[in-house]
Amino acid sequence: QVQLVESGGGLVQPGGSLRLSCAASGSIVSVSSVAWYRQAPGKQRELVARLTSGGSTDYKDSVKGRFTISRDNAKNTVYLQMNSLNSEDTAVYYCNAYIRSLSGIGSYWGQGTQVTVSS
């Protein structure tokens, strides 16, 4: 069984920074693309950043230049460095990963971590 566990969320002032982590565990064979999504109250979940196994990245326009997605394959961990945060970044952040495990291939989600940007 595969699990994704996020950490690093919290309360930060406008202009501040946070780094989110998402660690995958279980009977993992390989991890292909990884991504971070977010969902603000009353809004749909949206893609924030994606990183393919080949190293290509894709970012939501409003976070380009402020957020950076990265991964540590040895640790099966993906990160989201968030700088210059503003109130519109307030949301629950979820990591997602396509993982090949001993049971097959699947898309997995973490439980979410709250990010609140407020003075």
Side-chain angles (χ1 to χ4, degrees), residues 15-61:
S17 298
L18 283 175
R19 189 175 83 152
L20 306 183
S21 300
C22 174
S25 62
S27 56
I28 297 169
V29 176
S30 62
V31 180
S32 56
S33 66
V34 293
W36 287 95
Y37 288 75
R38 69 187 182 188
Q39 187 167 19
K43 295 187 177 181
Q44 291 188 333
R45 190 173 298 190
E46 61 182 7
L47 176 67
V48 175
R50 178 187 290 119
L51 174 60
T52 70
S53 57
S56 299
T57 57
D58 184 28
Y59 292 95
K60 178 180 173 61
D61 284 346

Coordinates of all heavy atoms in Angstrom, one line a residue, residues 15-61:
G15 N 4.3 38.0 2.0 CA 5.7 38.2 1.7 C 6.6 37.1 2.2 O 7.8 37.0 1.9
G16 N 6.1 36.2 3.1 CA 6.9 35.2 3.7 C 7.0 34.0 2.8 O 6.5 33.9 1.7
S17 N 7.7 33.0 3.4 CA 8.0 31.7 2.6 C 7.6 30.5 3.4 O 7.6 30.5 4.7 CB 9.5 31.7 2.3 OG 9.9 32.7 1.4
L18 N 7.3 29.4 2.7 CA 7.1 28.1 3.3 C 7.6 27.1 2.4 O 7.6 27.3 1.2 CB 5.6 27.8 3.6 CG 4.9 28.5 4.8 CD1 3.4 28.2 4.7 CD2 5.5 28.0 6.1
R19 N 8.0 25.9 2.9 CA 8.4 24.8 2.1 C 7.5 23.6 2.5 O 7.6 23.2 3.6 CB 9.9 24.5 2.2 CG 10.3 23.4 1.1 CD 11.7 23.1 1.1 NE 12.1 22.1 2.1 CZ 13.1 21.3 2.0 NH1 13.9 21.3 0.9 NH2 13.4 20.4 3.0
L20 N 6.8 23.1 1.5 CA 6.0 21.9 1.8 C 6.7 20.7 1.3 O 7.5 20.8 0.4 CB 4.6 22.0 1.0 CG 3.8 23.3 1.2 CD1 2.5 23.2 0.4 CD2 3.5 23.5 2.6
S21 N 6.5 19.6 2.1 CA 7.1 18.4 1.7 C 6.0 17.3 1.6 O 5.0 17.4 2.3 CB 8.1 17.9 2.8 OG 9.1 18.8 3.0
C22 N 6.3 16.3 0.7 CA 5.4 15.2 0.5 C 6.2 14.0 0.4 O 6.9 13.8 -0.6 CB 4.5 15.4 -0.7 SG 3.4 14.1 -1.1
A23 N 6.1 13.1 1.4 CA 6.9 11.9 1.4 C 6.0 10.7 1.1 O 4.9 10.5 1.7 CB 7.5 11.7 2.8
A24 N 6.5 9.9 0.1 CA 5.7 8.7 -0.3 C 6.4 7.5 0.4 O 7.6 7.4 0.5 CB 5.8 8.5 -1.8
S25 N 5.5 6.6 0.8 CA 6.0 5.4 1.5 C 5.2 4.2 1.0 O 4.1 4.3 0.5 CB 6.0 5.5 3.0 OG 4.6 5.7 3.4
G26 N 5.7 3.0 1.3 CA 5.0 1.8 0.9 C 5.8 1.0 -0.1 O 7.0 1.2 -0.2
S27 N 5.1 0.1 -0.8 CA 5.8 -0.8 -1.7 C 6.0 -0.2 -3.1 O 5.4 -0.6 -4.1 CB 4.9 -2.1 -1.9 OG 3.6 -1.8 -2.3
I28 N 6.8 0.9 -3.0 CA 7.0 1.7 -4.2 C 8.1 1.1 -5.1 O 9.2 0.8 -4.6 CB 7.4 3.1 -3.8 CG1 6.2 3.8 -3.1 CG2 7.8 4.0 -5.1 CD1 6.6 5.1 -2.4
V29 N 7.8 1.0 -6.4 CA 8.8 0.6 -7.4 C 9.4 1.8 -8.0 O 10.6 2.0 -8.1 CB 8.2 -0.3 -8.5 CG1 9.2 -0.6 -9.5 CG2 7.6 -1.6 -7.8
S30 N 8.6 2.7 -8.5 CA 9.1 4.0 -9.1 C 8.0 5.0 -9.0 O 6.8 4.7 -8.9 CB 9.5 3.8 -10.5 OG 8.4 3.3 -11.3
V31 N 8.4 6.3 -9.1 CA 7.5 7.4 -9.0 C 7.7 8.2 -10.3 O 8.8 8.6 -10.7 CB 7.8 8.4 -7.8 CG1 6.8 9.5 -7.8 CG2 7.7 7.6 -6.5
S32 N 6.6 8.4 -11.0 CA 6.8 9.2 -12.3 C 6.4 10.7 -12.0 O 7.1 11.3 -11.2 CB 5.9 8.6 -13.4 OG 4.6 8.5 -13.0
S33 N 5.4 11.2 -12.6 CA 5.1 12.6 -12.4 C 4.6 12.9 -11.0 O 3.9 12.1 -10.4 CB 4.2 13.1 -13.4 OG 2.9 12.6 -13.3
V34 N 4.9 14.1 -10.5 CA 4.5 14.5 -9.2 C 3.9 15.9 -9.3 O 4.3 16.6 -10.2 CB 5.6 14.5 -8.1 CG1 6.0 13.1 -7.8 CG2 6.8 15.3 -8.6
A35 N 3.0 16.3 -8.5 CA 2.4 17.6 -8.6 C 1.8 18.1 -7.2 O 1.6 17.3 -6.3 CB 1.2 17.5 -9.6
W36 N 1.6 19.4 -7.2 CA 1.0 20.0 -6.0 C -0.3 20.7 -6.6 O -0.3 21.4 -7.6 CB 1.9 21.0 -5.4 CG 3.0 20.5 -4.6 CD1 4.3 20.2 -5.0 CD2 2.9 20.0 -3.2 NE1 5.0 19.7 -4.0 CE2 4.2 19.5 -2.9 CE3 1.9 20.0 -2.3 CZ2 4.5 19.0 -1.6 CZ3 2.2 19.5 -1.0 CH2 3.5 19.0 -0.7
Y37 N -1.4 20.5 -5.9 CA -2.7 21.1 -6.1 C -3.0 21.9 -4.9 O -2.5 21.7 -3.8 CB -3.7 20.1 -6.4 CG -3.6 19.4 -7.7 CD1 -2.7 18.4 -8.0 CD2 -4.5 19.7 -8.8 CE1 -2.6 17.7 -9.2 CE2 -4.4 19.1 -10.0 CZ -3.5 18.1 -10.2 OH -3.4 17.4 -11.4
R38 N -4.0 22.8 -5.0 CA -4.5 23.5 -3.9 C -6.0 23.7 -4.0 O -6.5 23.8 -5.2 CB -3.8 24.8 -3.6 CG -4.0 25.9 -4.7 CD -3.1 27.1 -4.4 NE -3.4 28.2 -5.4 CZ -2.6 29.3 -5.4 NH1 -1.6 29.4 -4.6 NH2 -2.9 30.2 -6.3
Q39 N -6.7 23.9 -2.9 CA -8.1 24.1 -2.9 C -8.4 25.2 -1.9 O -8.2 24.9 -0.7 CB -8.9 22.9 -2.7 CG -10.4 23.0 -2.9 CD -11.1 21.7 -2.9 OE1 -10.6 20.7 -2.5 NE2 -12.4 21.8 -3.5
A40 N -8.9 26.3 -2.3 CA -9.3 27.4 -1.4 C -10.8 27.2 -1.1 O -11.5 26.5 -1.8 CB -9.1 28.7 -2.0
P41 N -11.2 27.7 0.1 CA -12.7 27.6 0.4 C -13.6 28.1 -0.7 O -13.4 29.2 -1.2 CB -12.8 28.5 1.7 CG -11.4 28.5 2.2 CD -10.5 28.5 1.1
G42 N -14.5 27.2 -1.0 CA -15.5 27.6 -2.0 C -15.0 27.5 -3.5 O -15.8 27.9 -4.4
K43 N -13.8 27.0 -3.7 CA -13.3 26.9 -5.0 C -12.9 25.5 -5.3 O -12.7 24.7 -4.5 CB -12.0 27.9 -5.1 CG -12.3 29.3 -5.0 CD -11.1 30.2 -5.3 CE -11.4 31.7 -5.2 NZ -10.2 32.5 -5.5
Q44 N -12.7 25.3 -6.6 CA -12.3 23.9 -7.1 C -10.8 23.7 -6.9 O -10.0 24.7 -6.8 CB -12.6 23.8 -8.6 CG -14.1 23.7 -8.9 CD -14.4 23.3 -10.3 OE1 -13.6 23.6 -11.2 NE2 -15.5 22.7 -10.6
R45 N -10.4 22.5 -6.7 CA -9.0 22.2 -6.6 C -8.3 22.5 -7.9 O -8.8 22.3 -9.0 CB -8.8 20.7 -6.3 CG -7.4 20.3 -6.0 CD -7.4 18.8 -5.5 NE -8.2 18.6 -4.3 CZ -8.1 17.5 -3.6 NH1 -7.4 16.5 -4.0 NH2 -8.9 17.3 -2.5
E46 N -7.2 23.1 -7.8 CA -6.4 23.6 -9.0 C -5.0 23.1 -9.0 O -4.4 23.0 -7.9 CB -6.5 25.1 -9.2 CG -5.9 25.9 -8.0 CD -6.0 27.4 -8.2 OE1 -6.7 27.8 -9.1 OE2 -5.4 28.1 -7.3
L47 N -4.4 22.9 -10.1 CA -3.0 22.5 -10.2 C -2.1 23.8 -10.0 O -2.4 24.8 -10.5 CB -2.7 22.0 -11.6 CG -1.3 21.7 -11.9 CD1 -0.8 20.5 -11.1 CD2 -1.1 21.4 -13.4
V48 N -1.2 23.6 -9.1 CA -0.2 24.6 -8.8 C 1.1 24.4 -9.5 O 1.6 25.3 -10.1 CB 0.0 24.7 -7.3 CG1 1.1 25.7 -6.9 CG2 -1.3 25.0 -6.5
A49 N 1.6 23.2 -9.4 CA 2.9 22.9 -10.1 C 3.0 21.4 -10.4 O 2.5 20.6 -9.6 CB 4.1 23.3 -9.2
R50 N 3.7 21.1 -11.4 CA 3.8 19.7 -11.8 C 5.3 19.4 -12.2 O 5.9 20.3 -12.9 CB 2.9 19.2 -13.0 CG 3.1 17.8 -13.4 CD 2.3 17.5 -14.7 NE 0.9 17.4 -14.4 CZ 0.0 18.2 -15.0 NH1 0.4 19.1 -15.8 NH2 -1.3 18.1 -14.7
L51 N 5.8 18.3 -11.9 CA 7.2 17.9 -12.3 C 7.2 16.5 -12.8 O 6.8 15.6 -12.1 CB 8.1 18.0 -11.1 CG 9.6 17.5 -11.2 CD1 10.3 18.3 -12.3 CD2 10.3 17.6 -9.9
T52 N 7.6 16.4 -14.1 CA 7.6 15.0 -14.7 C 8.8 14.3 -14.3 O 9.8 14.8 -13.8 CB 7.4 15.1 -16.2 OG1 8.7 15.7 -16.7 CG2 6.3 16.0 -16.6
S53 N 8.8 13.0 -14.6 CA 10.0 12.2 -14.3 C 11.2 12.6 -15.2 O 12.3 12.4 -14.8 CB 9.7 10.7 -14.6 OG 9.2 10.5 -15.9
G54 N 10.9 13.2 -16.3 CA 11.9 13.7 -17.2 C 12.5 15.1 -16.8 O 13.4 15.6 -17.4
G55 N 11.9 15.7 -15.8 CA 12.4 17.0 -15.3 C 11.6 18.2 -15.8 O 12.0 19.3 -15.4
S56 N 10.6 18.0 -16.6 CA 9.8 19.1 -17.1 C 8.9 19.6 -16.0 O 8.4 18.9 -15.2 CB 9.0 18.7 -18.3 OG 9.8 18.3 -19.4
T57 N 8.8 21.0 -16.0 CA 7.9 21.6 -15.0 C 6.8 22.4 -15.6 O 6.9 22.9 -16.7 CB 8.7 22.5 -14.0 OG1 9.4 23.5 -14.8 CG2 9.7 21.7 -13.2
D58 N 5.7 22.5 -14.9 CA 4.6 23.3 -15.3 C 4.0 24.0 -14.1 O 3.8 23.4 -13.1 CB 3.5 22.4 -16.0 CG 2.4 23.1 -16.5 OD1 2.6 24.3 -16.9 OD2 1.3 22.6 -16.6
Y59 N 3.8 25.3 -14.2 CA 3.3 26.1 -13.1 C 2.0 26.9 -13.4 O 1.9 27.3 -14.6 CB 4.3 27.1 -12.6 CG 5.6 26.5 -12.0 CD1 6.7 26.2 -12.8 CD2 5.6 26.2 -10.6 CE1 7.8 25.7 -12.2 CE2 6.8 25.6 -10.1 CZ 7.9 25.4 -10.9 OH 9.0 24.8 -10.3
K60 N 1.2 27.0 -12.4 CA 0.0 27.9 -12.6 C 0.6 29.3 -12.8 O 1.6 29.7 -12.1 CB -0.8 27.9 -11.3 CG -2.0 28.8 -11.3 CD -2.8 28.7 -10.0 CE -3.8 29.7 -9.9 NZ -4.8 29.7 -11.0
D61 N 0.0 30.1 -13.6 CA 0.6 31.4 -14.0 C 0.8 32.3 -12.8 O 1.9 33.0 -12.7 CB -0.4 32.1 -15.0 CG -0.3 31.6 -16.4 OD1 0.7 30.8 -16.7 OD2 -1.1 31.9 -17.2

